[in-house]
Amino acid sequence: MQLKINILGIESGGKPVVFLNKADADEIGVTASGRVILKVKKGITAIVNVATKSVKKGHIGITEEVRLLLGSVPSTIDVEISAFPKSLQFIRAKLDGKKLLRNEIFEIVRGVVTGNLNESEIASFVTALHIHGIDLDEATSLSLAMVETGKQLKLGNKIIVDKHSIGGVPGDKTTLLVVPIVAAAGLVIPKTSSRAITSAAGTADRAEVLMPVSMTYDKMKKMVRKCNGCVIWGGALDLAPADDIFVKTEYPLYIDPLLLPSIMSKKKAVGATHLVIDIPTGRGSKVKTISEADSLAKDLIEIGKRLNIHTHCVVTYGEQPVGYTVGPALEAREALEVLMNESNVPDLIDKACSIAGAIFEITGKKNGYALAKDIIRTGKAEAKLREIISAQGGNSSIRPSDISIGSETLKVKAKNEGQVLWISNSTIVEIARSAGAPKDRGAGIIFNKKIGDPVSRDDILFTVYAEKSRKLSRTQDLLKEMDPIGVGKRADMVIRMIKDTPTLKRSFVLER
């Protein structure tokens, strides 16, 4: 059917979507959420929305995604119903609990990236993976398919290193130290990072306090060749783009079946040959037990072998925030202070040096931890970070005092004496987000006490920072209902008394 094109000037969230008048849709034989082919040179498959008034009979409304695919937009276009996608057959097979082959998985991932699958179909696939699980063959195939349907960074270096954290621990600004330490030692580390999804700050949010983090593929390539490293937001690079689409589906469902292929596809896409994965473990973290961590490490190392990525895992302590700050600006400031040797933050320094040291040793260097610590002590890491900041378009002379933080504050004091017995990571994240983090960069938390520290009555446990008073008021209300830090004498056997039916809150960590 030949239809006149109307450019609607609206975006459809990345998918090619068209709007048809109901009469035209009936004649073509397509319903809402069905598919049509726009008959141009290559052919464009688009998902259909049906309108009764906003699109006239004989016309087709196109979104910005379709306009960009068309390039030069003709006045009319031939439209016909699309064939039933093969990928739907494979999704149904997985819903029935069947194992998928590599070509079947590739067809599904290609359908996700091209927009040939709609939201409900992608959700069905993700749900099937959650219910029936994915074995290592499927995880490997998913990783490769996610790489092959996006861009790949090809630097040509014999060794390219990378690091990743499973996440789940607030305040983990380790990457801001590890990248300059490793790059200062002459290794290439093209670090792509995510923004916060469920946390108070993603690595890209922290880094953006110091420098721009959005850049083109070509600029990233030039920068890495110049500085040996970068810390940029991966969302603008089209590396493993299927992962970003899957994440949008996983988040509202509170499930994360694609953890393994998500991690490994992005490392493969940047050309990593050697990878160290941080697995924070303990109460309040994403991975609860050592045995869980060991099982996850086993799978990650095996997939690494299949993808030709030499992979080591570091199981780290995850029962409290890393360092003394949570929130983009506060964390960036703390990281800068450590690299400038102006602040001693033992757990942050230890974790960063352990991970950087593991990277050194996986690539053949000896005494990795000591080497990493020496690179901080001598100022080489600071100099490298400033070089990276400058190359990414930031102020290389930035000082910690130049980083602005929220002017609205709330001090939370201890109600009794003893010592800090536990810190609820999920509650800390909820408090920081209620104060405005990560959108408000200056919002967050500074801790005065951490696990094991002695506490007297009315000691300040932590201070909440906000940029807006109304958000701080919201935090005050939240703190009336929550107890983020447990203080007692030794390991008191009673944690809390429950007198009424408690309201159960789901704690879900989804970070990439």
Side-chain angles (χ1 to χ4, degrees):
M1 176 182 282
Q2 199 76 15
L3 298 173
K4 293 180 181 179
I5 291 179
N6 294 345
I7 299 174
L8 300 176
I10 60 174
E11 295 182 2
S12 54
K15 296 179 182 301
V17 173
V18 297
F19 290 77
L20 295 176
N21 181 276
K22 188 173 188 312
D24 292 328
D26 288 344
E27 189 170 336
I28 292 170
V30 67
T31 56
S33 295
R35 297 164 185 78
V36 291
I37 292 180
L38 310 182
K39 303 283 282 187
V40 289
K41 191 173 182 181
K42 290 185 178 179
I44 297 171
T45 302
I47 294 171
V48 173
N49 279 351
V50 176
T52 53
K53 294 180 180 179
S54 57
V55 179
K56 295 179 182 177
K57 189 176 185 303
H59 290 246
I60 180 171
I62 65 170
T63 57
E64 286 298 289
E65 287 81 355
V66 175
R67 183 184 67 80
L68 291 171
L69 288 171
L70 286 171
S72 177
V73 180
S75 59
T76 64
I77 196 165
D78 194 22
V79 182
E80 65 179 42
I81 192 167
S82 173
F84 187 81
K86 286 183 182 179
S87 50
L88 280 182
Q89 301 173 33
F90 307 142
I91 290 172
R92 287 176 178 175
K94 190 61 186 177
L95 282 165
D96 289 336
K98 295 175 183 176
K99 178 175 177 174
L100 296 180
L101 302 176
R102 189 189 186 289
N103 66 306
E104 296 172 335
I105 286 174
F106 184 86
E107 192 68 31
I108 292 170
V109 173
R110 184 168 61 183
V112 169
V113 173
T114 60
N116 202 25
L117 290 173
N118 62 35
E119 282 83 357
S120 63
E121 290 159 353
I122 296 170
S124 295
F125 178 59
V126 171
T127 302
L129 294 178
H130 174 71
I131 293 170
H132 299 293
I134 58 176
D135 65 17
L136 289 176
D137 291 335
E138 291 175 313
T140 304
S141 296
L142 271 164
S143 300
L144 290 169
M146 288 159 75
V147 172
E148 291 165 12
T149 51
K151 289 182 179 177
Q152 297 178 52
L153 183 66
K154 295 182 179 178
L155 296 170
N157 297 70
K158 188 177 179 181
I159 294 177
I160 297 173
V161 303
D162 207 343
K163 62 86 59 177
H164 184 84
S165 175
I166 297 300
V169 179
D172 195 354
K173 69 281 294 176
T174 312
T175 295
L176 292 182
L177 278 70
V178 171
V179 169
I181 291 171
V182 170
L187 292 172
V188 175
I189 178 164
K191 187 72 183 82
T192 61
S193 303
S194 63
R195 297 191 184 279
I197 303 171
T198 58
S199 68
T203 295
D205 302 313
R206 301 172 184 114
E208 198 167 37
V209 174
L210 304 173
M211 54 196 157
V213 295
S214 295
M215 66 176 65
T216 64
Y217 172 86
D218 290 334
K219 186 176 179 182
M220 176 193 180
K221 202 169 180 179
K222 288 177 184 176
M223 212 200 94
V224 174
R225 282 179 173 157
K226 178 184 177 183
C227 303
N228 286 344
C230 64
V231 185
I232 64 172
W233 176 52
L237 294 171
D238 203 32
L239 300 170
D243 183 54
D244 297 322
I245 299 169
F246 284 134
V247 165
K248 290 176 184 177
T249 304
E250 290 177 310
Y251 179 53
L253 294 173
Y254 272 64
I255 56 177
D256 189 12
L258 286 145
L259 176 67
L260 296 178
S262 171
I263 293 170
M264 302 308 290
S265 63
K266 291 193 171 179
K267 302 314 167 188
K268 185 69 176 175
V270 298
T273 60
H274 295 72
L275 171 65
V276 170
I277 299 176
D278 167 30
I279 308 178
T281 304
R283 295 170 299 173
S285 59
K286 189 169 185 174
V287 179
K288 308 297 182 188
T289 66
I290 296 294
S291 61
E292 241 185 287
D294 288 347
S295 177
L296 180 58
K298 178 185 174 185
D299 289 344
L300 287 165
I301 290 169
E302 176 58 30
I303 295 177
K305 287 178 183 175
R306 298 180 183 201
L307 298 178
N308 294 317
I309 303 173
H310 190 32
T311 305
H312 284 184
C313 296
V314 180
V315 179
T316 58
Y317 181 73
E319 296 196 359
Q320 66 177 341
V322 180
Y324 291 97
T325 59
V326 171
L330 291 167
E331 292 186 50
R333 187 176 71 175
E334 184 174 53
L336 187 57
E337 287 171 346
V338 168
L339 289 175
M340 293 174 67
N341 291 295
E342 289 186 358
S343 180
N344 181 32
V345 185
D347 60 339
L348 174 58
I349 294 169
D350 182 56
K351 182 167 183 174
C353 289
S354 295
I355 292 169
I359 291 173
F360 290 149
E361 292 183 9
I362 200 175
T363 55
K365 297 180 185 291
K366 295 182 179 179
N367 302 317
Y369 184 95
L371 175 59
K373 205 157 189 180
D374 192 59
I375 290 172
I376 294 177
R377 183 186 61 79
T378 57
K380 292 177 182 177
E382 180 198 348
K384 179 55 71 174
L385 177 64
R386 294 190 182 281
E387 183 186 351
I388 291 171
I389 290 171
S390 177
Q392 289 189 203
N395 174 17
S396 62
S397 301
I398 190 170
R399 308 285 303 178
S401 57
D402 297 329
I403 299 172
S404 59
I405 59 174
S407 58
E408 304 288 333
T409 62
L410 170 65
K411 297 184 186 301
V412 177
K413 297 181 178 180
K415 297 173 184 176
N416 54 291
E417 64 176 24
Q419 65 180 16
V420 177
L421 299 175
W422 51 264
I423 297 177
S424 170
N425 284 336
S426 59
T427 304
I428 290 299
V429 169
E430 199 166 343
I431 290 168
R433 289 178 72 98
S434 73
K439 185 176 180 181
D440 298 343
R441 291 183 188 172
I445 296 170
I446 294 182
F447 293 91
N448 290 73
K449 303 288 184 179
K450 294 186 71 177
I451 292 176
D453 288 347
V455 176
S456 298
R457 185 180 175 85
D458 291 331
D459 276 355
I460 297 171
L461 297 174
F462 60 89
T463 303
V464 182
Y465 290 78
E467 294 180 0
K468 301 175 180 71
S469 58
R470 62 180 174 80
K471 292 189 177 181
L472 197 67
S473 177
R474 188 170 68 188
T475 304
Q476 283 179 308
D477 293 338
L478 194 64
L479 282 164
K480 291 175 185 176
E481 304 170 8
M482 296 182 159
D483 200 3
I485 295 182
V487 175
K489 295 182 179 179
R490 298 183 302 279
D492 292 352
M493 294 307 294
V494 175
I495 296 173
R496 63 164 62 101
M497 185 72 71
I498 301 173
K499 297 179 179 178
D500 297 312
T501 303
T503 301
L504 301 178
K505 292 188 177 183
R506 291 184 295 176
S507 177
F508 178 61
V509 177
L510 181 62
E511 301 299 333
R512 295 287 193 254

